[in-house]
Amino acid sequence: MLHKLSGTDIFRFFDLGDPLRKFVAGHLYKYKRMFDTLFFHIAAKISLPDPEKETIKTFFTQRKFKRKQFLLQEGETCRQLSFISKGLIKSYNVDDNGEDHINLFGWEGWWVSDFYSFLSATPGQLNIEAIEDTEVLQITLADYEAMLIKVPVMERYFRILYQNSIVTKERRLMSSITHTAEEKYRHLLQHHPELIQRIPQTLIASYLGLAPETISRIKRNKTP
Amino acid sequence: MLHKLSGTDIFRFFDLGDPLRKFVAGHLYKYKRMFDTLFFHIAAKISLPDPEKETIKTFFTQRKFKRKQFLLQEGETCRQLSFISKGLIKSYNVDDNGEDHINLFGWEGWWVSDFYSFLSATPGQLNIEAIEDTEVLQITLADYEAMLIKVPVMERYFRILYQNSIVTKERRLMSSITHTAEEKYRHLLQHHPELIQRIPQTLIASYLGLAPETISRIKRNKTP
DNA sequence: GACAAGGCTTGATCTGTGTCAATAAATACC
DNA sequence: GGTATTTATTGACACAGATCAAGCCTTGTC
């Protein structure tokens, strides 16, 4: 089975504002099983037979985090790749002046980690913190690698996942370099309006690399 | 075989400044076959038996580009994923004011395309242009997908390739948001000094999102 | 080897966005 | 339900880095 990809589909499970989010949340509630969210997302990219699902389950452990609790702190080695089945997190680092800079937001259907730290098994600089109460499925590096050996079709899943992620990250980078503050904010507003509702403006500002005051001024100047 | 990954290894085939570049260049010269560079790079991530190599060869076509020639122009659909076996390219887009913004430089061992355009088969906004005379191996989307079906271990290769690429792109994004002009330039200088030699300052500036004059001033102020 | 074209430096000036500070509004908490 | 905390707004001001302009230096070309 080839992975079919349309112009919009490419972002479906990736960029901020996953349109399936609400449905997935309902789905989860109905079955009350965190793995359903995972398999639902996997099914969007590859077809995964039931026996393989059972194998995959054995590699993950479930964990819950309260609001403001850290999944990972700067200086730690990130031992887990986490799939968010419920909740909302921010991943950020702190610069020399003590300022936070948000790397990404993640919610239902997102994979999060300090990827560099995780893959290299060395201490990293990212903090990952729950913004809302969050439930995740976690896998260690050894198990991630073992799973990919044991269930080779997951290579395909992650290849497609990462492939799409690269597109998103390239776009965000170019936006960061080429756009003005206002363009960045309006772009986010246009493409991910739900974000603005769910996440405080201060954090949005940090994510966009702007001062919160700048966003206030943009809203004042051109919203009328 | 698991892919072993050390802290430095993670960037080896990815970020600017591939340390194997010179060796590969020599290697290529010796055997005068573009595929050697490709298989050399693949071998760094997975082990690929000879029969599979022969299969893979059938999916690629070779192409050469002269300095200043375009591999791809804005508005075109990017039909090819290109592996650079020799040369140097820039990938950039043009903003509403007609300014260029360089997305990435690529040379021996890099894969380049307008990834979004390629995967979605829709027109893209990137220009890809040869800075030096360049030789590439190209594969279409259909052949890329066919190859991944026929040689499944290539899923693994691309998964690892993309995985590393994500780390690099995340770092560049955070650098772009958190660092000052001077920090960005010094960081590049420290980690990729060869770049500064091989690529004109104007292009470096565009890559970093700075004005060329800013780089001149940085060099004046603190090099003494 | 002369001319063209491109690349680099320097100074003067302008401007978008950050910083600081004070207040108001919204939300969380016991 | 009232206080504490967080979040958003607004104004005054500062500054990093862009822009504009001019001149110089380097490289390529016939």
Side-chain angles (χ1 to χ4, degrees):
Chain A
M1 163 201 167
L2 279 185
H3 174 67
K4 288 292 176 189
L5 187 76
S6 75
T8 56
D9 182 50
I10 200 169
F11 289 116
R12 186 159 294 162
F13 297 94
F14 245 87
D15 202 356
L16 298 171
D18 179 348
L20 291 181
R21 197 175 68 251
K22 282 163 201 131
F23 177 72
V24 172
H27 197 71
L28 221 207
Y29 179 74
K30 185 168 171 194
Y31 291 95
K32 292 214 164 60
R33 284 167 54 212
M34 299 167 99
F35 279 107
D36 284 342
T37 310
L38 176 59
F39 292 134
F40 183 83
H41 277 266
I42 291 176
K45 296 195 168 54
I46 59 170
S47 61
L48 190 64
D50 285 340
E52 273 77 355
K53 286 184 186 171
E54 293 310 312
T55 308
I56 286 172
K57 282 183 182 177
T58 66
F59 289 107
F60 286 89
T61 54
Q62 306 188 357
R63 243 186 116 183
K64 299 185 180 192
F65 294 89
K66 286 271 164 210
R67 194 170 116 78
K68 298 203 178 180
Q69 196 178 345
F70 284 85
L71 283 75
L72 179 74
Q73 288 200 57
E74 193 177 345
E76 291 176 7
T77 297
C78 180
R79 300 290 181 192
Q80 310 281 347
L81 179 62
S82 303
F83 177 84
I84 305 177
S85 49
K86 184 159 176 277
L88 177 62
I89 62 92
K90 61 177 174 179
S91 156
Y92 63 99
N93 71 12
V94 183
D95 69 19
D96 300 339
N97 305 320
E99 312 268 356
D100 290 5
H101 299 277
I102 293 181
N103 191 16
L104 61 82
F105 298 111
W107 54 73
E108 299 85 358
W110 278 73
W111 293 90
V112 296
S113 72
D114 180 338
F115 219 24
Y116 174 79
S117 172
F118 177 71
L119 294 170
S120 64
T122 58
Q125 279 130 34
L126 285 185
N127 299 278
I128 303 178
E129 186 185 334
I131 299 179
E132 302 172 357
D133 292 354
T134 295
E135 299 178 8
V136 298
L137 292 169
Q138 294 191 317
I139 188 168
T140 63
L141 180 60
D143 281 343
Y144 170 70
E145 288 176 334
M147 177 183 71
L148 289 166
I149 300 287
K150 210 155 180 184
V151 188
V153 70
M154 288 300 282
E155 291 278 8
R156 183 177 186 77
Y157 168 75
F158 282 105
R159 192 262 302 167
I160 294 170
L161 186 80
Y162 296 156
Q163 189 174 274
N164 293 355
S165 176
I166 286 173
V167 172
T168 305
K169 288 187 192 303
E170 278 191 354
R171 295 206 154 185
R172 187 167 162 220
L173 177 65
M174 289 319 280
S175 166
S176 156
I177 291 179
T178 66
H179 292 162
T180 64
E182 178 156 352
E183 285 165 346
K184 287 176 202 174
Y185 181 74
R186 299 226 172 269
H187 188 268
L188 188 67
L189 194 66
Q190 186 179 352
H191 293 275
H192 312 291
E194 25 11 286
L195 251 197
I196 314 286
Q197 324 250 306
R198 194 170 180 181
I199 296 173
Q201 177 174 300
T202 324
L203 300 185
I204 301 282
S206 169
Y207 175 76
L208 293 175
L210 303 174
E213 294 93 330
T214 302
I215 291 186
S216 277
R217 290 185 183 110
I218 289 166
K219 280 156 66 177
R220 174 175 45 161
N221 291 340
K222 303 259 184 92
T223 314
Chain B
M1 162 201 166
L2 279 184
H3 174 68
K4 289 292 178 189
L5 186 76
S6 76
T8 54
D9 182 47
I10 200 169
F11 290 116
R12 187 159 295 164
F13 297 94
F14 245 91
D15 203 358
L16 297 173
D18 177 349
L20 291 181
R21 199 178 64 252
K22 283 167 201 127
F23 177 71
V24 172
H27 196 71
L28 222 209
Y29 179 75
K30 187 169 169 193
Y31 291 96
K32 293 210 163 60
R33 285 167 54 212
M34 300 167 98
F35 279 107
D36 284 342
T37 310
L38 176 60
F39 292 134
F40 184 83
H41 276 266
I42 291 176
K45 296 194 168 55
I46 59 169
S47 62
L48 189 66
D50 284 341
E52 273 78 355
K53 285 185 187 171
E54 292 309 313
T55 307
I56 287 172
K57 282 183 183 176
T58 65
F59 289 106
F60 285 89
T61 54
Q62 306 189 359
R63 238 182 121 185
K64 299 187 179 191
F65 295 88
K66 286 271 165 213
R67 193 168 119 79
K68 301 202 176 179
Q69 196 178 346
F70 284 86
L71 281 74
L72 179 74
Q73 288 200 59
E74 194 177 346
E76 291 176 7
T77 298
C78 180
R79 300 288 180 194
Q80 309 281 347
L81 178 62
S82 303
F83 177 85
I84 304 177
S85 50
K86 182 157 177 276
L88 176 64
I89 62 89
K90 62 177 174 178
S91 155
Y92 64 98
N93 69 15
V94 183
D95 69 18
D96 301 339
N97 305 319
E99 311 268 355
D100 289 5
H101 299 277
I102 292 181
N103 190 16
L104 61 80
F105 298 110
W107 55 72
E108 298 83 1
W110 277 74
W111 292 90
V112 296
S113 71
D114 180 338
F115 219 23
Y116 174 78
S117 172
F118 177 70
L119 293 170
S120 64
T122 57
Q125 280 130 34
L126 285 185
N127 299 278
I128 303 178
E129 185 184 335
I131 298 180
E132 302 172 358
D133 291 355
T134 295
E135 299 177 9
V136 298
L137 292 168
Q138 294 191 317
I139 189 169
T140 63
L141 179 59
D143 280 342
Y144 170 69
E145 289 176 333
M147 177 183 71
L148 290 167
I149 300 286
K150 210 155 181 184
V151 188
V153 71
M154 288 300 282
E155 292 277 9
R156 185 177 185 77
Y157 168 75
F158 282 105
R159 193 262 302 166
I160 294 169
L161 185 81
Y162 296 155
Q163 187 174 274
N164 293 356
S165 175
I166 285 173
V167 172
T168 304
K169 288 187 192 302
E170 278 191 355
R171 295 208 153 184
R172 188 168 161 220
L173 177 65
M174 289 318 281
S175 167
S176 156
I177 290 178
T178 65
H179 292 162
T180 63
E182 177 156 355
E183 285 165 345
K184 287 176 204 174
Y185 180 74
R186 299 226 172 270
H187 187 269
L188 189 67
L189 195 64
Q190 186 178 352
H191 293 277
H192 312 291
E194 15 27 275
L195 253 197
I196 313 288
Q197 324 250 307
R198 194 170 180 183
I199 297 174
Q201 176 174 303
T202 324
L203 299 185
I204 301 281
S206 168
Y207 175 76
L208 293 174
L210 303 174
E213 294 94 330
T214 302
I215 292 186
S216 276
R217 291 185 180 108
I218 289 166
K219 281 156 65 177
R220 172 174 47 158
N221 290 340
K222 302 261 183 87
T223 317

Short mmCIF file of all heavy atoms in Angstrom, two decimals, chain A residues 153-179:
data_model
loop_
_atom_site.label_atom_id
_atom_site.label_comp_id
_atom_site.label_asym_id
_atom_site.label_seq_id
_atom_site.Cartn_x
_atom_site.Cartn_y
_atom_site.Cartn_z
N VAL A 153 7.24 -2.66 9.51
CA VAL A 153 6.36 -1.69 8.85
C VAL A 153 6.32 -0.37 9.62
O VAL A 153 5.96 0.68 9.07
CB VAL A 153 4.93 -2.27 8.67
CG1 VAL A 153 4.23 -2.40 10.01
CG2 VAL A 153 4.12 -1.44 7.71
N MET A 154 6.74 -0.40 10.87
CA MET A 154 6.82 0.84 11.64
C MET A 154 7.93 1.75 11.13
O MET A 154 7.90 2.97 11.35
CB MET A 154 6.98 0.54 13.13
CG MET A 154 5.71 0.01 13.78
SD MET A 154 4.31 1.14 13.68
CE MET A 154 4.72 2.33 14.97
N GLU A 155 8.93 1.16 10.47
CA GLU A 155 9.93 2.00 9.80
C GLU A 155 9.21 2.92 8.83
O GLU A 155 9.52 4.10 8.72
CB GLU A 155 10.93 1.15 9.01
CG GLU A 155 11.86 0.30 9.83
CD GLU A 155 13.06 1.09 10.36
OE1 GLU A 155 13.11 2.33 10.22
OE2 GLU A 155 13.96 0.44 10.93
N ARG A 156 8.29 2.34 8.12
CA ARG A 156 7.52 3.09 7.14
C ARG A 156 6.69 4.18 7.81
O ARG A 156 6.64 5.31 7.35
CB ARG A 156 6.61 2.12 6.38
CG ARG A 156 5.82 2.77 5.29
CD ARG A 156 5.00 1.71 4.55
NE ARG A 156 4.35 2.28 3.41
CZ ARG A 156 4.95 2.58 2.27
NH1 ARG A 156 6.23 2.31 2.12
NH2 ARG A 156 4.29 3.13 1.28
N TYR A 157 6.03 3.81 8.91
CA TYR A 157 5.24 4.79 9.63
C TYR A 157 6.09 5.98 10.04
O TYR A 157 5.75 7.12 9.79
CB TYR A 157 4.60 4.15 10.87
CG TYR A 157 4.00 5.17 11.81
CD1 TYR A 157 2.81 5.81 11.50
CD2 TYR A 157 4.66 5.53 12.99
CE1 TYR A 157 2.27 6.76 12.35
CE2 TYR A 157 4.13 6.48 13.85
CZ TYR A 157 2.94 7.10 13.51
OH TYR A 157 2.42 8.05 14.35
N PHE A 158 7.21 5.71 10.66
CA PHE A 158 8.04 6.82 11.13
C PHE A 158 8.69 7.56 9.96
O PHE A 158 8.85 8.78 10.02
CB PHE A 158 9.10 6.33 12.12
CG PHE A 158 8.55 6.09 13.49
CD1 PHE A 158 8.34 4.80 13.97
CD2 PHE A 158 8.21 7.16 14.31
CE1 PHE A 158 7.81 4.58 15.25
CE2 PHE A 158 7.67 6.95 15.58
CZ PHE A 158 7.47 5.66 16.05
N ARG A 159 9.01 6.85 8.90
CA ARG A 159 9.57 7.54 7.74
C ARG A 159 8.57 8.58 7.24
O ARG A 159 8.92 9.73 6.98
CB ARG A 159 9.91 6.51 6.64
CG ARG A 159 10.76 7.08 5.51
CD ARG A 159 9.94 7.49 4.30
NE ARG A 159 9.18 6.37 3.75
CZ ARG A 159 8.21 6.52 2.86
NH1 ARG A 159 7.87 7.74 2.44
NH2 ARG A 159 7.55 5.47 2.41
N ILE A 160 7.32 8.19 7.13
CA ILE A 160 6.30 9.11 6.64
C ILE A 160 6.05 10.24 7.64
O ILE A 160 5.94 11.41 7.28
CB ILE A 160 4.99 8.35 6.34
CG1 ILE A 160 5.21 7.38 5.17
CG2 ILE A 160 3.85 9.32 6.03
CD1 ILE A 160 4.07 6.39 4.94
N LEU A 161 6.01 9.86 8.91
CA LEU A 161 5.84 10.86 9.96
C LEU A 161 6.94 11.92 9.90
O LEU A 161 6.68 13.12 9.88
CB LEU A 161 5.89 10.15 11.32
CG LEU A 161 5.59 10.96 12.58
CD1 LEU A 161 4.08 11.11 12.75
CD2 LEU A 161 6.18 10.29 13.81
N TYR A 162 8.16 11.49 9.84
CA TYR A 162 9.30 12.40 9.84
C TYR A 162 9.36 13.21 8.54
O TYR A 162 9.70 14.40 8.55
CB TYR A 162 10.61 11.62 10.02
CG TYR A 162 10.72 10.90 11.35
CD1 TYR A 162 11.55 9.79 11.50
CD2 TYR A 162 10.00 11.32 12.47
CE1 TYR A 162 11.66 9.12 12.72
CE2 TYR A 162 10.11 10.65 13.68
CZ TYR A 162 10.93 9.56 13.81
OH TYR A 162 11.05 8.90 15.01
N GLN A 163 9.03 12.55 7.46
CA GLN A 163 9.00 13.21 6.16
C GLN A 163 8.07 14.42 6.21
O GLN A 163 8.44 15.52 5.81
CB GLN A 163 8.51 12.15 5.17
CG GLN A 163 8.55 12.46 3.74
CD GLN A 163 8.16 11.21 2.94
OE1 GLN A 163 8.98 10.37 2.64
NE2 GLN A 163 6.88 11.08 2.61
N ASN A 164 6.89 14.21 6.73
CA ASN A 164 5.93 15.31 6.84
C ASN A 164 6.42 16.37 7.83
O ASN A 164 6.24 17.57 7.61
CB ASN A 164 4.57 14.79 7.28
CG ASN A 164 3.93 13.91 6.23
OD1 ASN A 164 4.46 13.77 5.13
ND2 ASN A 164 2.81 13.31 6.57
N SER A 165 7.02 15.90 8.88
CA SER A 165 7.51 16.82 9.89
C SER A 165 8.57 17.76 9.32
O SER A 165 8.62 18.94 9.65
CB SER A 165 8.11 16.02 11.05
OG SER A 165 8.68 16.88 12.01
N ILE A 166 9.41 17.24 8.44
CA ILE A 166 10.45 18.06 7.84
C ILE A 166 9.83 19.20 7.05
O ILE A 166 10.28 20.34 7.12
CB ILE A 166 11.37 17.19 6.95
CG1 ILE A 166 12.28 16.35 7.84
CG2 ILE A 166 12.18 18.05 5.98
CD1 ILE A 166 13.11 15.33 7.08
N VAL A 167 8.79 18.89 6.30
CA VAL A 167 8.11 19.93 5.53
C VAL A 167 7.63 21.04 6.46
O VAL A 167 7.84 22.23 6.21
CB VAL A 167 6.93 19.34 4.74
CG1 VAL A 167 6.12 20.45 4.09
CG2 VAL A 167 7.43 18.36 3.69
N THR A 168 7.01 20.65 7.55
CA THR A 168 6.48 21.62 8.50
C THR A 168 7.59 22.46 9.10
O THR A 168 7.48 23.69 9.21
CB THR A 168 5.74 20.90 9.63
OG1 THR A 168 4.74 20.07 9.07
CG2 THR A 168 5.11 21.90 10.59
N LYS A 169 8.66 21.81 9.48
CA LYS A 169 9.74 22.54 10.13
C LYS A 169 10.43 23.50 9.15
O LYS A 169 10.80 24.61 9.52
CB LYS A 169 10.75 21.56 10.74
CG LYS A 169 10.18 20.89 11.97
CD LYS A 169 11.19 20.04 12.72
CE LYS A 169 10.50 19.16 13.75
NZ LYS A 169 9.69 19.91 14.75
N GLU A 170 10.56 23.07 7.90
CA GLU A 170 11.15 23.97 6.90
C GLU A 170 10.31 25.21 6.72
O GLU A 170 10.81 26.31 6.62
CB GLU A 170 11.29 23.25 5.56
CG GLU A 170 12.52 22.39 5.48
CD GLU A 170 12.81 21.89 4.09
OE1 GLU A 170 12.00 22.11 3.17
OE2 GLU A 170 13.88 21.26 3.91
N ARG A 171 9.01 25.00 6.70
CA ARG A 171 8.12 26.15 6.52
C ARG A 171 8.19 27.11 7.69
O ARG A 171 8.20 28.32 7.51
CB ARG A 171 6.68 25.67 6.38
CG ARG A 171 6.47 24.85 5.16
CD ARG A 171 5.03 24.95 4.75
NE ARG A 171 4.94 24.71 3.33
CZ ARG A 171 3.83 24.81 2.64
NH1 ARG A 171 2.72 25.15 3.23
NH2 ARG A 171 3.83 24.60 1.34
N ARG A 172 8.24 26.55 8.86
CA ARG A 172 8.28 27.41 10.04
C ARG A 172 9.59 28.19 10.06
O ARG A 172 9.63 29.37 10.39
CB ARG A 172 8.13 26.57 11.31
CG ARG A 172 7.99 27.42 12.54
CD ARG A 172 7.55 26.65 13.75
NE ARG A 172 7.84 27.41 14.96
CZ ARG A 172 8.29 26.89 16.09
NH1 ARG A 172 8.49 25.59 16.19
NH2 ARG A 172 8.55 27.66 17.12
N LEU A 173 10.66 27.52 9.70
CA LEU A 173 11.95 28.20 9.65
C LEU A 173 11.93 29.35 8.66
O LEU A 173 12.35 30.46 8.97
CB LEU A 173 13.04 27.19 9.27
CG LEU A 173 14.44 27.77 9.12
CD1 LEU A 173 14.95 28.30 10.44
CD2 LEU A 173 15.40 26.75 8.55
N MET A 174 11.42 29.10 7.45
CA MET A 174 11.41 30.15 6.46
C MET A 174 10.50 31.29 6.90
O MET A 174 10.81 32.46 6.69
CB MET A 174 10.97 29.60 5.09
CG MET A 174 12.01 28.72 4.44
SD MET A 174 13.70 29.33 4.59
CE MET A 174 13.74 30.57 3.31
N SER A 175 9.39 30.95 7.52
CA SER A 175 8.50 31.97 8.04
C SER A 175 9.22 32.82 9.07
O SER A 175 9.12 34.05 9.08
CB SER A 175 7.26 31.32 8.65
OG SER A 175 6.56 32.25 9.43
N SER A 176 9.96 32.15 9.92
CA SER A 176 10.70 32.86 10.97
C SER A 176 11.73 33.84 10.39
O SER A 176 11.92 34.93 10.91
CB SER A 176 11.40 31.83 11.86
OG SER A 176 12.50 32.38 12.51
N ILE A 177 12.34 33.45 9.28
CA ILE A 177 13.38 34.30 8.68
C ILE A 177 12.78 35.40 7.81
O ILE A 177 13.24 36.52 7.83
CB ILE A 177 14.39 33.45 7.86
CG1 ILE A 177 15.23 32.59 8.81
CG2 ILE A 177 15.28 34.33 7.00
CD1 ILE A 177 16.23 31.70 8.12
N THR A 178 11.73 35.07 7.05
CA THR A 178 11.28 36.02 6.04
C THR A 178 10.12 36.91 6.46
O THR A 178 9.95 37.98 5.91
CB THR A 178 10.84 35.29 4.75
OG1 THR A 178 9.69 34.49 5.02
CG2 THR A 178 11.94 34.38 4.23
N HIS A 179 9.31 36.46 7.41
CA HIS A 179 8.12 37.24 7.72
C HIS A 179 8.33 38.28 8.82
O HIS A 179 9.19 38.12 9.68
CB HIS A 179 6.98 36.31 8.13
CG HIS A 179 6.46 35.45 7.01
ND1 HIS A 179 5.72 34.32 7.21
CD2 HIS A 179 6.59 35.58 5.66
CE1 HIS A 179 5.42 33.78 6.05
NE2 HIS A 179 5.94 34.52 5.08
#
